[in-house]
Amino acid sequence: MDKYDIIYIGSGNASWQGARFLADNGWKVLIVEEGLYGGACANYGCNSKILLDAPYELAAAIKRYEGIGKKGDFSVDWPSLMEYKEKAIAGLSVFLDGKFKEYGLDVANGKGVLLDNHRVQVNEDIYYGEKIVIATGLIPFIPHIPGKEFIRDSTDFLEIKELPNETIIMGAGFVSLEFASILAESGKKVDVLIRSDTALRHFYQPYVEKVMKILENQGVNFHFNQEAIEVIKNGDKFEVKTNNGLSLTGDYVIGALGRVANVEGIGLEKAGVSSSSKGIPVNGHMQSNIENIYATGDVADTNQAKLVTVAIHQSKYLAKYLLGETSDEITYPVVPAVVFTLPRIATVGVTAAYALEHPEAYNVDRIEYGKSYFIELKNERDAELTVVTDKEKNIVGCEICSFEAENLINVFAFIINKKITLEELDEMIYAFPSSNSVALYKLHKLHYNIGYRKK
């Protein structure tokens, strides 16, 4: 039985980002992977989604020049785009195989199952780990209803060869609205079933409603307070019935009702590790209830967002902790999040909704910078952001609705984390024209109104 200082079950960013530092310091490291190296984000999620999204972002941008320079038509050829995506994504696992070798990380291919708190079985082989890290991530949740075998998940959609003409999507989170944006931009019919009266509940609702209105104008139908209770196959079509009597028919049904911890069948009970559908509870050192077993990334039950950036942060922290470079519990900077709809919605820091409920502590200002700078913003007249400041005139939160939101939100994450004041921002000079500069220059209004004028 081969012995290792540490065994990671899972090969995504939650494992190898920290594992490489341990290997650099002489630790013998084993990574166990059942599927492709790199896990869900690299092969089935983030990378595939953004690659497929990019041409539709371009298509939407071209439409903004209708009647003011646009000539001819532009359309996305999904089959050729999918072919390109498959080739590009296939190379990532091969690339990581080379990186693992470069980092000195051993890999065992197969499902990792705990036999106890030290032994991990992979196929017919058993490995001993002084420490073990569970980094198995999340899997799509498919409701247990009649006809659930006809429901496709996000991985299925990101591999589909031809876009369906009529799609029914269950759920109203990231996956649902991002896929709806692609389908709507392609001119396809979409019905979205929302179990409550709110979509994207963790994002600023005025911006969510703004994007949903755009999607509705493109033919997307949102059905609130409707939960699927049955899926029936009728020839080449699928009928979805809901709890409130609605019946919808489409060519394709997507379950986008969130994700649950990938903990089934990996032997946690044999090792005595506590878990639930939310994941493995961990303390401030990413440690489970079993002293030598840790969890990082999406499978770790923390109060943090389930994002790849958070997984990387946790993996690096755990390596430092195990190396004795820190004894402090993990801390988190403000974490930006983006929904890749068309346009995007982004958030970071104190939310505008929370700030509006606490006016004694915060100011909330809406900045419609697209109206002033539409020329510099490629004719995106509706681009805007909402900034949250505290009573000391520090920016502590930001919400953005714009095609450039994924880039601009990172600027605000930097501003908030480094505690750069409005006065300091007002003294800076930016490269112009750019989406970052036009939004930041508009912050002068805030500095003027709550700064100079009140002195």
Side-chain angles (χ1 to χ4, degrees):
M1 180 169 56
D2 291 338
K3 295 186 176 181
Y4 286 87
D5 295 309
I6 192 166
I7 297 175
Y8 288 84
I9 301 179
S11 70
N13 285 285
S15 63
W16 70 265
Q17 291 277 5
R20 55 185 171 147
F21 295 113
L22 296 175
D24 281 346
N25 282 270
W27 286 47
K28 189 177 181 183
V29 181
L30 176 68
I31 291 180
V32 179
E33 176 53 60
E34 182 179 12
L36 297 173
Y37 297 159
C41 184
N43 299 290
Y44 318 112
C46 324
N47 292 331
S48 294
K49 183 174 62 180
I50 199 63
L51 191 155
L52 294 172
D53 164 89
Y56 292 97
E57 180 189 11
L58 177 60
I62 290 172
K63 287 181 180 178
R64 296 202 296 270
Y65 287 87
E66 194 72 50
I68 52 170
K70 174 181 174 292
K71 184 177 182 180
D73 295 321
F74 172 85
S75 61
V76 180
D77 180 9
W78 180 270
S80 64
L81 177 62
M82 180 58 65
E83 183 179 352
Y84 170 68
K85 188 274 296 186
E86 290 175 348
K87 289 179 181 177
I89 297 301
L92 293 176
S93 184
V94 177
F95 169 78
L96 284 174
D97 182 32
K99 297 304 289 185
F100 290 169
K101 289 182 173 67
E102 177 187 329
Y103 296 144
L105 308 174
D106 290 347
V107 179
N109 299 111
K111 186 179 182 69
V113 179
L114 292 167
L115 299 179
D116 53 39
N117 66 318
H118 284 291
R119 294 182 302 151
V120 179
Q121 182 170 352
V122 184
N123 301 320
E124 302 302 319
D125 298 317
I126 297 176
Y127 302 92
Y128 179 93
E130 191 64 35
K131 298 183 185 300
I132 295 172
V133 181
I134 311 297
T136 49
L138 304 174
I139 55 175
F141 169 75
I142 299 298
H144 295 288
I145 61 175
K148 68 178 183 179
E149 65 271 19
F150 304 126
I151 303 173
R152 303 298 174 224
D153 60 29
S154 58
T155 300
D156 296 322
F157 180 79
L158 292 172
E159 295 178 351
I160 196 170
K161 303 304 180 184
E162 293 277 359
L163 286 178
N165 290 318
E166 299 178 329
T167 301
I168 302 168
I169 305 177
M170 304 174 186
F174 284 77
V175 171
S176 175
L177 268 70
E178 289 174 355
F179 287 178
S181 291
I182 288 176
L183 290 163
E185 190 61 42
S186 300
K188 307 298 184 181
K189 181 177 181 296
V190 184
D191 286 281
V192 180
L193 296 176
I194 303 174
R195 290 179 290 183
S196 66
D197 57 2
T198 304
L200 291 171
R201 57 191 177 89
H202 296 299
F203 287 81
Y204 191 40
Q205 287 304 299
Y207 292 164
V208 174
E209 292 166 6
K210 185 176 182 179
V211 169
M212 291 177 71
K213 179 59 67 176
I214 292 172
L215 289 173
E216 286 178 337
N217 290 338
Q218 292 178 304
V220 177
N221 300 305
F222 292 99
H223 307 278
F224 292 95
N225 300 303
Q226 299 283 353
E227 183 172 2
I229 58 172
E230 185 178 9
V231 181
I232 302 169
K233 191 176 190 303
N234 295 317
D236 294 332
K237 297 285 187 177
F238 299 94
E239 180 185 3
V240 177
K241 295 184 177 182
T242 76
N243 58 329
N244 284 322
L246 181 66
S247 179
L248 299 170
T249 300
D251 305 311
Y252 200 77
V253 181
I254 301 175
L257 295 163
R259 300 169 75 84
V260 294
N262 184 19
V263 295
E264 293 298 320
I266 63 172
L268 294 184
E269 66 285 350
K270 294 179 181 178
V273 178
S274 299
S275 70
S276 71
S277 61
K278 295 181 179 179
I280 299 172
V282 294
N283 62 18
H285 300 304
M286 307 309 298
Q287 186 178 44
S288 75
N289 62 303
I290 302 301
E291 184 178 9
N292 69 303
I293 298 181
Y294 302 81
T296 52
D298 289 352
V299 78
D301 184 4
T302 67
N303 62 351
Q304 296 298 314
K306 305 288 189 178
L307 300 170
V308 66
T309 47
V310 174
I312 293 170
H313 182 75
Q314 291 173 347
S315 187
K316 289 180 177 180
Y317 161 81
L318 180 58
K320 291 180 180 180
Y321 173 70
L322 294 177
L323 289 171
E325 295 178 5
T326 182
S327 59
D328 296 336
E329 293 190 350
I330 189 170
T331 58
Y332 297 87
V334 294
V335 179
V338 182
V339 186
F340 286 85
T341 46
L342 300 170
R344 285 53 164 115
I345 309 170
T347 184
V348 67
V350 177
T351 66
Y354 180 85
L356 288 169
E357 293 174 354
H358 298 83
E360 74 285 355
Y362 302 103
N363 294 314
V364 178
D365 289 271
R366 179 184 180 192
I367 300 177
E368 299 176 285
Y369 64 96
K371 291 183 177 179
S372 301
Y373 289 98
F374 66 90
I375 296 173
E376 293 85 355
L377 285 172
K378 303 170 187 173
N379 211 38
E380 191 187 354
R381 296 172 184 263
D382 292 333
E384 67 173 79
L385 58 85
T386 298
V387 176
V388 179
T389 52
D390 62 19
K391 296 306 179 180
E392 284 70 48
K393 295 178 272 186
N394 297 309
I395 296 176
V396 293
C398 183
E399 318 274 6
I400 306 175
C401 186
S402 165
F403 280 87
E404 299 286 341
E406 71 266 37
N407 296 316
L408 186 54
I409 201 67
N410 287 328
V411 175
F412 278 92
F414 182 82
I415 290 169
I416 296 168
N417 281 313
K418 294 302 180 182
K419 296 181 172 57
I420 301 173
T421 65
L422 279 172
E423 185 173 359
E424 289 170 328
L425 287 172
D426 204 29
E427 293 172 351
M428 295 182 186
I429 298 175
Y430 309 102
F432 182 88
S434 66
S435 57
N436 290 341
S437 67
V438 296
L440 291 170
Y441 275 132
K442 290 295 285 186
L443 293 180
H444 169 77
K445 173 185 175 183
L446 297 189
H447 183 212
Y448 180 71
N449 286 343
I450 70 175
Y452 291 136
R453 296 177 71 184
K454 292 186 179 180
K455 287 183 179 178

